């Protein structure tokens, strides 16, 4: 697992962030379209926020961003 201890992590559309542990991350102004968050550890409130902008499928893993975040 990779640890990201950053309030404003830099993410790009289509990024693979599987198994990443995000500590103190706020995800302000990030592009997550097509990102794969499978098995990433995130704060519940941040997951809700990310689900509001989750779209597309990761081109490398074939996993939909919404599915990798377990959005409802």
């Amino acid at each position: 697992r990779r640890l990201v201890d950053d309030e404003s992590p830099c993410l790009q559309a289509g990024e693979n962030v599987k198994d990443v542990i995000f500590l103190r991350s706020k995800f302000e102004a990030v592009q997550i379209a097509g990102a794969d968050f499978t098995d990433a550890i995130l704060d519940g409130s941040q997951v809700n926020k990310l689900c509001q902008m989750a779209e597309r499928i990761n081109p490398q893993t074939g996993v939909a961003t919404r599915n990798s975040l377990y959005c409802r």
Side-chain angles (χ1 to χ4, degrees), residues 44-60:
S45 63
Q46 291 304 313
V47 171
N48 292 334
K49 183 176 182 177
L50 292 172
C51 283
Q52 293 176 10
M53 62 179 101
E55 59 181 22
R56 299 193 189 155
I57 295 173
N58 184 283
Q60 296 172 335

Side-chain angles (χ1 to χ4, degrees), residues 7-9 11 24-33 37 42-55 65-66 69-72:
E7 284 195 22
S8 299
L11 295 180
R24 300 182 307 150
S25 299
K26 293 187 180 176
F27 298 102
E28 301 292 332
V30 294
Q31 299 293 321
I32 65 160
F37 287 90
L42 300 141
D43 179 65
S45 63
Q46 291 304 313
V47 171
N48 292 334
K49 183 176 182 177
L50 292 172
C51 283
Q52 293 176 10
M53 62 179 101
E55 59 181 22
T65 301
R66 290 189 61 78
L69 287 165
Y70 299 101
C71 299
R72 298 175 195 195

Side-chain angles (χ1 to χ4, degrees), residues 1-5 9 11 15-23 25 27 36-42:
R1 289 193 181 238
R2 181 173 56 144
L3 174 65
V4 175
D5 188 11
L11 295 180
E15 189 159 349
N16 186 351
V17 288
K18 292 172 67 171
D19 297 316
V20 175
I21 301 169
F22 290 97
L23 296 178
S25 299
F27 298 102
D36 185 348
F37 287 90
T38 300
D39 296 327
I41 297 175
L42 300 141

